[in-house]
Amino acid sequence: MPAIVVSGDGKGDFGGKVTFHVIICAIVAATGGLMFGYDIGISGGVTSMDDFLEKFFPEVFEKKHHAVENNYCKFDNQFLQLFTSSLYLAALVASFVASKICSKYGRKITMQLASVLFLIGVLLNALAPNLALLIVGRIFLGIGIGFANQAAPLFLSEIAPVKYRGALNILFQLNVTIGILAANIINYFVADIHPHGWRIALGTAGIPALILCLGSFLITETPTSLIERQRLTEGMNTLKKIRGIDNVDAEYQELVRASEMARQVKHPFRNLIKRKSRPQLVIAIAMQVFQQFTGINAIMFYAPVLFQTVGFKNDASLMSSAIVGGINVASTVVSVVLVDKLGRKPLLLEACIQMFITQTAIGYILMEHLKTTGDLPKSNAVWVVVLVCLYVMSFAWSWGPLGWLIPSETFPLETRTAGYSFAVSSNMLFTFLIAQAFLSMLCTMRAAVFFFFAAWVFVMCLFVVFLLPETKNIPIDEMMDRVWKKHWFWKRFMDDDDDKRASKVEMAMGH
Ligand code: BGC
């Protein structure tokens, strides 16, 4: 397993500047986020384009243009959903493989592989003559994403000077939102290019991948990874280079100590199922599952489809999606600024309230005014767009970035990477489920699908109030004493019974 061995022990500031080299490394690695975001944003637009539907999903095309077709069901097609969701299933499996490659061969090569696999996927997609190759292309994209999502955030954490680690971590999410916005804008412009606009939309995904591929030749491997692989002198030299100072001894020693400790843990996954790891594991998985049950990807994947469902024409619906994408980016910046000042819990709770109100209101408007056939009255449709914007805004400064940040900062070193890969794969699994199910849910549950997500938001709110500890400004390796051992509920998992039992067994076995 690669260890998310962060540069430093979290306590100290080892000095060093944000060098030009670190900036280049950060920009290149964060393009992994652009690839991910572009994919999230592009599928909704493409699956609402007539040329694309006519070629690959003639049934949906027919349904969509059928005068008396049920509003809520016109896009309900398992294969159409598979087009979107297959990517996440592939990414789920790939993230486990990626974690092995990451630790054995390094973060840089994993990102290079990610970009190449992704580029193959882009070519297959943009040139696809039939549905089968289209899906194979999506699988390649998914493998690329699985590799990039495991390696890039890790890389960013490891090259960052300690005090900028949080901000650099959110840089990845910021790129995800910029990728989504770029996709929304491209969708808008290519929609009128017939019959191959969708090929341009899918092909443009190659741009961030190319930047990552070429840019990766400019970046170094992280000192952590070099030290982890016993390339000590190289590790030391790289550290000097990225920190821009000669005296990096303290940080270097810390990295060696951390990697020694990580090496002693032969079975990080076994460690993870110990009772003592339960709180962090539950929280990492819950943050990701809840992030997806906010229903965000129902909007991100299917906003254009949703806006067409409420009666917008193609252009208006793609334009509205682009507005939503812009709000997503701007609100993520708000999070970068506030997360270390206000703390994690206030942002999450405020967002729960805002999401609950907006989702309930969207559900109510659709239930009252969007009948099975016919369009939503104009003023109501505008309200739906406004409410979707308010909803996305609150997600973007809370559950979006924090869904990733919190799992990366709660695990102790010995379980950090294994724990984080559970977070990544839970995210992919639930992203897959929502992508695969949302259009069918919209068809069967109709407007109530928004009440379904609102109910989840209510549960999440209780979870944050009672079970999520505040981790703002707490050094990573003091989490155990300052957070878990003090928490009213989680402290009961902090006894050392497991360790005692383990040492008894070892003694009995004569060790
Ligand atoms: C989530 C994605 C989501 C995106 C929206 C990310 O944090 O993991 O599933 O589409 O935020 O900005």
Side-chain angles (χ1 to χ4, degrees), residues 36 40 173 176-177 180 288 291-292 296-297 300-301 328 332 395-396 399-401 403-404 427 431:
F36 182 39
I40 293 172
Q173 169 72 11
V176 172
T177 60
I180 297 175
Q288 294 288 6
Q291 185 201 62
Q292 291 306 312
I296 187 65
N297 281 325
M300 289 300 143
F301 293 144
N328 193 17
T332 307
F395 173 89
W399 291 86
W404 295 103
N427 182 281
T431 307

Side-chain angles (χ1 to χ4, degrees), residues 390-411:
L390 288 171
Y391 159 79
V392 167
M393 185 185 283
S394 55
F395 173 89
W397 61 50
S398 60
W399 291 86
L402 298 182
W404 295 103
L405 180 63
I406 291 176
S408 82
E409 66 183 12
T410 50
F411 287 102

